[in-house]
Amino acid sequence: MSDAISDTISDIMKSRPAKRTVVAVRVPLLLACLLLAPPALAQRLVVAGGAVTEMVYALGAQDQLIAVDDTSVWPPAARALPKIGYVRELPVEGIVSLRPDKVLVSADEAGPARTLRQLERVTTVVPITATNSPEGVLARAQQVAKETGRVEAGAALVAELQAAFARINERLPLAQPPRVLCLLSAGGHGVRLAGQDTKAQALLDSLGLPNAVRDQRGYRPLSSEALLALAPDMVIIAEARPGEFRADDWPALAMTPAGRAGRILVADSMLLLGFGPRLPEAMTQVLDVASGAGEADVEIEREGGMAWSR
C-alpha cells in the first residue's frame, strides 16, 4: 500500500467518533477505487526509434515527449526535441538524467542490451514490436497507443491504416513486377545494396516485388560493376539525409534498364524503411514507379542523363 493511501485512510480514521460508522463502510470502497484505478499516464516520455516517434505524433501524444534519439527526424517538430544519441548506442546516464516515466524503444534497434538492463532498474522500458510488415505497423500502432494512453486515437489510426493498405492491395499483384534494386545512401557508410533479411526486402515483400539481389544477405557495399551486372528494372534509393545520393558519382546507373526507363525512386530512408505510420505512403510511391502510374503524382528530375522520381 502506498504512503498516500495510508495517509488518506489515517486522516479519515481520525475523524470525529460520530462519523466512524460511516467511515468503516467507506474505507473498503476507497481502497478498491484507489487500487483498481488505472496508473497515471507517463508524462515524461523518452523514445528511441524513429518509427516509434512517428507513431507517438500520429497518435497525438507528442506532449508527453521530452527527448528522442537521432533517428527521430519526422515529423520536423521531432528534430527540435533534446536528443539522447544514436538508437543502437544509447547512454544510460543521459537518459536517467532526464527522469523519464517511461522509455519506449524499437525492439529490433535499441541497444546495447546492457544499457537497456540498467535503465530497467530505474524506469519503465517498453520494447515496441518491430515486425516489418503492414500487420506489424498495425500492431505497433496499438502498442504505442496503449503505452501513451491514446487507445481511442489508436483505434482510429489503425482503421485509417487498414483502409490505406486495402487501397494498395487493390492494385496488386502487378502483371509484370520489375526486378528492384534497393540502395541505402548513408553518409560515411557510402552507398550499399540491400539483400535478403533487410527492411528493404520487407518493403519489397509487402508489394510482391522481386529483389534484384538474391544471393546476399544484409547490406553490402555497391560497386559500378555490381550495379551493371544486376541490371535492375527499377532502383529505389533510400537517403539517410536529403540530397545525399549523387547520381553523377554513379554514371553506370544510367546504363541499367532502370536508368534508361526512368524507374528510379529517391526518398527519405525513414519513410521507405521505417515501417511507421507513413508505410502506406512509402508503398504507394514504390508502387507508382513500379507500375508506371505515378508520373503525374511525383516530381521527375533529370540528373546524370537519367529521369528519376523524388
Side-chain angles (χ1 to χ4, degrees):
M1 184 184 301
S2 69
D3 293 340
I5 295 177
S6 299
D7 292 343
T8 300
I9 295 175
S10 176
D11 290 342
I12 294 175
M13 295 303 295
K14 291 178 182 178
S15 301
R16 289 175 296 174
K19 295 184 178 180
R20 282 185 183 171
T21 56
V22 177
V23 169
V25 175
R26 290 181 178 174
V27 166
L29 180 61
L30 173 63
L31 270 174
C33 292
L34 291 173
L35 294 176
L36 293 176
L41 294 179
Q43 297 302 312
R44 298 180 61 80
L45 183 67
V46 170
V47 171
V52 181
T53 296
E54 289 190 30
M55 201 66 76
V56 170
Y57 274 90
L59 292 166
Q62 60 270 22
D63 289 347
Q64 300 178 37
L65 285 172
I66 59 172
V68 295
D69 75 302
D70 291 344
T71 68
S72 298
V73 295
W74 188 268
R79 302 170 192 166
L81 291 169
K83 294 295 187 292
I84 57 174
Y86 183 48
V87 63
R88 297 185 186 278
E89 300 174 359
L90 298 175
V92 177
E93 295 81 1
I95 296 175
V96 171
S97 68
L98 295 169
R99 297 179 292 108
D101 299 318
K102 187 177 293 185
V103 181
L104 304 184
V105 301
S106 182
D108 67 336
E109 297 177 309
R114 179 181 65 258
T115 295
L116 299 181
R117 289 194 298 268
Q118 292 174 332
L119 287 174
E120 287 171 349
R121 299 174 185 171
V122 294
T123 188
T124 301
V125 178
V126 182
I128 302 299
T129 181
T131 303
N132 298 315
S133 65
E135 295 76 15
V137 170
L138 298 178
R140 181 175 288 169
Q142 292 171 324
Q143 189 178 4
V144 175
K146 175 184 176 183
E147 295 299 335
T148 57
R150 302 283 295 175
V151 177
E152 290 186 6
L157 178 58
V158 166
E160 179 183 336
L161 289 169
Q162 286 175 325
F165 291 137
R167 289 192 294 271
I168 292 170
N169 286 335
E170 290 175 356
R171 300 173 60 185
L172 298 172
L174 295 183
Q176 295 181 319
R179 293 172 56 257
V180 184
L181 174 62
C182 296
L183 304 178
L184 178 62
S185 182
H189 296 287
V191 179
R192 294 178 290 167
L193 55 82
Q196 306 296 309
D197 298 331
T198 61
K199 289 187 176 183
Q201 178 66 61
L203 176 63
L204 297 181
D205 289 343
S206 70
L207 294 167
L209 298 175
N211 192 339
V213 181
R214 300 177 59 85
D215 57 352
Q216 296 186 43
R217 298 184 181 279
Y219 293 93
R220 297 288 185 271
L222 177 69
S223 66
S224 295
E225 294 76 14
L227 181 57
L228 290 172
L230 289 168
D233 302 314
M234 175 177 169
V235 174
I236 299 173
I237 301 169
E239 294 181 310
R241 294 182 178 82
E244 198 161 58
F245 182 83
R246 293 175 51 84
D248 289 341
D249 294 339
W250 295 94
L253 191 54
M255 294 182 278
T256 64
R260 291 193 295 269
R263 275 183 169 177
I264 301 176
L265 172 65
V266 184
D268 170 55
S269 60
M270 279 304 302
L271 168 65
L272 292 172
L273 308 178
F275 283 86
R278 294 188 292 163
L279 179 60
E281 179 184 348
M283 293 173 67
T284 299
Q285 287 192 23
V286 173
L287 186 55
D288 284 348
V289 177
S291 63
E295 292 189 2
D297 300 320
V298 297
E299 178 183 354
I300 303 297
E301 297 183 353
R302 290 197 173 274
E303 183 177 347
M306 293 175 294
W308 53 350
S309 308
R310 273 191 190 275

